[in-house]
Structure formats: structure tokens, C-alpha cells
Amino acid sequence: MSATIAFPDAPVLDEDPFSDENITDPYPLFARMREMGPAVFVKPHGYYAVGRHAEAGIVASDYQRFSVAGGVGMSDIRKPGAWRARSPITEIDPPEHTQVRAALQKILSPLVVKGWKEKFAQRAEEIAEEAVARGTVDGVADITEAYVLDVFPAVLGIDVPPERIKLTGELNFNQLGPNNARVARALEHAAPIMDWYQQVLQREYMLPGGFGEKIYEGEDSGAFEKGTAPLHVRSFFRAGVDTTMAGIGSTLKLLSEHPEQLAMVKANPALLKGAFEEALRLESPAQVMFRVTTGEVELSGVRLRTDTKVGYHMGAANRDPRQWADPDRFDLTRQTAGVHRSFGVGAHVCIGQMISRLEAESILGALIRRVKRIEPAGTARWRLVNTLRTLDVLPLHLVKE
Ligand code: HEM
């Protein structure tokens, strides 16, 4: 493939997007990346970073040129020294992916998800009631974790203690990035539970009636390749918990910082959907997903080398001024659903997005109905995870209605 070599190479960025400073506040670096070009070669890690909205969409969806066969993390899982194992859904390209996705979609039909609505709502009311009665809370521990770590594993049908979910989540979202000190620390923290983590994904641990059990039934009936059921359960578990907590946490933070917009939601609860989508746009939970070039390719006028990882940074794409006016402003009336890149785009677009919306609307709706205002009660802190933008602490004062 040499047809595109006439294009100039992508500019080189000699900065680490995964430094503490850039993870805490990635937006100045993202602006530089977008201005440098449609793709930049990130020298410290040897991958191309794409920060513009249009090109992020191309990289995410044009699987003939940007394949997931090397994994959706920075490490190429086909090569020696890879630090992750393959997922049987996110890390296969069409046409093989199409059939697996259809089988999963069947298990996760809108009808099935609707059936969870009541359970989600009931737990949301209880947790909101408790939090508002307490008044001053940590939005992370007392609301997002208390809620998501309770309802999601229950519908997935696996019995996992919340502390362990957090440890394995941190490991997963660090491992999708570079093999740095954060990965080493996460491995060390999770080491005592790794044997248990392998076991808990096996059939005998699936709770009756849960989604996990249905995945094993799908494997029995030939819908999924033999031996892949535990990996499917792992993919769902990993993709669904930390991201949803991150999105709900950011929505709470932004609503506490914008009382006038919280008042708009109180006056018109239908706007809550927009608040969640806008928070996902501004603080994308998944910050970057990777593909690998299948040959030498051209992307909007720059040449990318073959067999090289390309990260689409959705956190950067979601604030691209080429796409949004005043992109750093929180505005829940924007029509962002389906346009922001936080759920990806193309064949691999998030299969669980309606579940995360249902969870978010249940818990946030239950809280907002009970409060006059949500006020910051201290400094919020981001957790330093390579590829996940999530809060560690969110002190809030909930002022009762
Ligand atoms: C706010 C919450 C969520 C966010 C931000 C999110 C984000 C994403 C993104 C960006 C992708 C595409 C990855 C790529 O391009 O390679 C994705 C795919 C996926 N998500 Fe989500 N997700 C969320 C919630 C969930 C939930 C609740 C579930 C499970 C029920 C889930 C399961 C999956 C799965 C299985 C895939 C892979 C789909 C495929 O490869 O065909 N996600 N998600």
C-alpha cells in the first residue's frame, strides 16, 4: 500500500498525555493536539493521537483501515509482551464481529432492559432518600458507587463485592493505556484477588436469571465461540460499571457548579437526559480507545505508518471547536446525544448505552426531585487512571426541597 506516501507525516508531539498533570486536566494538551493536525505522533509512546471530532469518527469506524485486531488498548495484543488478553466482542472486526454483536444485542434487547427499570428506580429512591437525609455527602462513595455497584452487578448476575469491582476496574482502565507506573500499582493492588477474578466469571458463579447466565446459554447454543463466555461476561462487567459511575459523577459535579441549569431540570425533568449527555460530552468517561493501521494510510492529509496504534481521544473530540460552539461550556440544552464520541461510533458503538442512561436518569432523577439545590461542599478530585475520567471525591451539600 504505497498510494498515499505523497502526504506529509503526522506532526510529532513530544509530551505524555498520561502524565499526572495531563490526566488531571487534559484539556490544554487536547487543544494543542487538535491544532497541530488531524493526527499527531505521540513520541513517548509511539502511537498516533487523534483529537478532532471528524477524524475520531473515522478512526473509530473505518475498520478496514483502522482495525481492532490489535486490541482497543495501547498495547498490541498480537505481539509478544502484550499486557492484556483479547475481548471476543470489542477486539474483533466485521464481518466476524457482526454475528457476535447480534447475538449479544438479542440478550440485551430494549425489552430486557425495560424489565430492569423498576429495580433501578426502587434502589435509586432508597439511595437518594438516604443521601438527602444526610445532607453533606461524597457524591462518589455515597451516590454513584452506592448505586451503580449495587444495581449493575445484580442485573449482570454476578456477585462481586464493591471493593473488588473498584480494584479490577482500576486495573482494566489503566491497562488500556501505556504500561506505566499506574499499571504496576494497579496490578499490585489487584494481585491478591486475581485468582478469584478468574473464577467469578465462570458459569457456576452466574446468578439465576442474570445476563451472565444468558451469555453462557448463548455459548451452549452456538451463538458464541466455545470458551468465550467468561470473556464476554468480563467485557460487559468492565465496560459497564466504571464508565457509568464516571458519567453520573460528572453530571452531579456539573449540576452542582451550574445551579441555574439544575433549576432548569427541576422545572422541566425531561431536560435531565440532556444534562447526562452534556456531562458525557464534557468529561468523557472513556478518554481514549485504540485501533491499529492495516497499511500505510492517509487521514485528512497526513500519512500514518502501517501497523501502528492510533488512539481516538474522545475527550478531545468532544471539545473540538470545529464541531461545537463554545465547546468548554456546560449547556444541557445542546443536542449532543449521538454526536459526542463518548459512546464511540460505528460497529463497536457502545452496546450498553441505554443501560447507562437508565441508571443515570433513575438515580439523578430521584435526587433532583428531593433537593432545592446541590452545592459543592469542598474540592472535587479526579482519580488518576490512564484512560478513564472519573472522580475520586465529590463533596456535595444536598439542600432539601
Ligand atoms: C456512560 C457509560 C458508558 C460509556 C461512556 C461507554 C463507552 C463505550 C465506548 C466508547 C465504546 C466503544 C469502544 C470502541 O470504540 O472501541 C463502548 C463499547 C461497549 N460498551 Fe460501553 N460505555 C458505557 C456503558 C456501558 C454499559 C452499561 C455496558 C454494559 C451493559 C457497556 C458495554 C459495552 C460493550 C460490551 C462494548 C463493546 C461493543 C462492541 O465492541 O461491539 N457499556 N462503550
Side-chain angles (χ1 to χ4, degrees):
M1 293 246 277
S2 59
T4 59
I5 55 170
F7 289 95
D9 285 331
V12 174
L13 176 79
D14 199 0
E15 288 185 70
D16 181 4
F18 304 91
S19 69
D20 285 1
E21 190 190 349
N22 284 329
I23 288 197
T24 305
D25 179 14
Y27 303 112
L29 173 69
F30 287 167
R32 290 196 291 282
M33 268 165 43
R34 284 190 307 258
E35 287 323 299
M36 283 172 73
V40 297
F41 185 72
V42 181
K43 201 170 161 197
H45 299 298
Y47 79 98
Y48 294 105
V50 170
R52 294 184 188 170
H53 184 268
E55 285 77 12
I58 295 171
V59 171
S61 56
D62 182 353
Y63 57 85
Q64 276 162 342
R65 298 192 302 156
F66 301 99
S67 164
V68 293
V72 293
M74 187 187 283
S75 158
D76 193 323
I77 55 178
R78 302 164 302 181
K79 296 187 177 163
W83 58 93
R84 304 179 46 246
R86 179 186 299 278
S87 154
I89 170 74
T90 57
E91 293 171 334
I92 50 170
D93 288 309
E96 292 79 16
H97 171 264
T98 315
Q99 192 197 337
V100 180
R101 171 101 182 187
L104 280 173
Q105 199 87 61
K106 222 159 124 192
I107 297 178
L108 210 64
S109 74
L111 204 68
V112 173
V113 175
K114 238 175 141 181
W116 302 342
K117 204 171 170 176
E118 212 172 294
K119 214 182 275 180
F120 283 8
Q122 192 189 340
R123 198 66 193 111
E125 297 299 326
E126 290 162 4
I127 286 172
E129 185 69 29
E130 223 172 279
V132 174
R134 210 177 307 165
T136 301
V137 296
D138 174 7
V140 176
D142 301 326
I143 300 174
T144 67
E145 289 182 355
Y147 182 64
V148 176
L149 294 180
D150 187 303
V151 297
F152 187 70
V155 295
L156 193 58
I158 52 176
D159 190 9
V160 190
E163 243 350 275
R164 294 189 170 190
I165 303 183
K166 281 165 63 181
L167 280 177
T168 52
E170 194 181 313
L171 179 61
N172 176 65
F173 282 94
N174 276 316
Q175 282 182 319
L176 286 170
N179 198 8
N180 57 12
R182 264 182 226 111
V183 173
R185 270 197 305 273
L187 275 169
E188 199 183 304
H189 293 159
I193 63 162
M194 288 318 281
D195 287 345
W196 164 89
Y197 189 40
Q198 296 306 325
Q199 273 170 28
V200 80
L201 304 173
Q202 302 302 319
R203 182 191 291 262
E204 55 274 27
Y205 284 84
M206 299 298 113
L207 304 174
F211 175 75
E213 187 185 56
K214 292 201 169 58
I215 289 184
Y216 274 92
E217 286 166 9
E219 188 186 274
D220 292 342
S221 69
F224 307 121
E225 205 179 306
K226 276 265 166 282
T228 58
L231 298 174
H232 278 297
V233 176
R234 188 193 64 180
S235 289
F236 266 83
F237 180 46
R238 286 285 50 109
V241 184
D242 309 274
T243 47
T244 305
M245 291 194 294
I248 297 174
S250 291
T251 315
L252 274 173
K253 177 174 184 287
L254 287 161
L255 286 175
S256 75
E257 292 165 352
H258 296 85
E260 74 296 347
Q261 299 199 44
L262 178 65
M264 286 164 68
V265 180
K266 282 200 68 68
N268 178 6
L271 288 175
L272 178 55
K273 285 182 196 301
F276 182 56
E277 296 299 327
E278 176 67 345
L280 292 182
R281 180 188 73 81
L282 266 186
E283 304 289 6
S284 181
Q287 281 281 296
V288 56
M289 290 278 172
F290 292 83
R291 305 292 190 253
V292 66
T293 49
T294 55
E296 189 178 78
V297 299
E298 176 261 336
L299 182 69
S300 300
V302 295
R303 187 180 70 105
L304 308 185
R305 293 200 295 255
T306 186
D307 196 25
T308 307
K309 283 282 179 155
V310 185
Y312 76 97
H313 287 257
M314 42 280 254
N318 283 347
R319 293 187 183 218
D320 185 354
R322 292 160 193 80
Q323 179 64 32
W324 282 281
D326 203 358
D328 296 330
R329 192 167 56 89
F330 178 64
D331 174 3
L332 54 74
T333 64
R334 282 183 210 261
Q335 300 298 311
T336 53
V339 185
H340 65 61
R341 298 299 190 213
S342 301
F343 287 122
V345 59
H348 292 278
V349 70
C350 181
I351 200 171
Q353 51 187 290
M354 68 292 191
I355 302 175
S356 70
R357 290 192 179 107
L358 189 59
E359 289 176 69
E361 286 160 30
S362 304
I363 185 66
L364 293 168
L367 265 176
I368 291 170
R369 277 195 297 282
R370 288 172 167 80
V371 295
K372 251 197 309 227
R373 290 189 309 279
I374 299 177
E375 296 168 348
T379 310
R381 195 174 63 230
W382 295 99
R383 193 171 293 171
L384 299 184
V385 182
N386 280 338
T387 68
L388 183 77
R389 183 136 180 93
T390 196
L391 286 159
D392 207 16
V393 182
L394 178 63
L396 295 175
H397 186 51
L398 307 173
V399 184
K400 247 190 232 166
E401 184 65 288

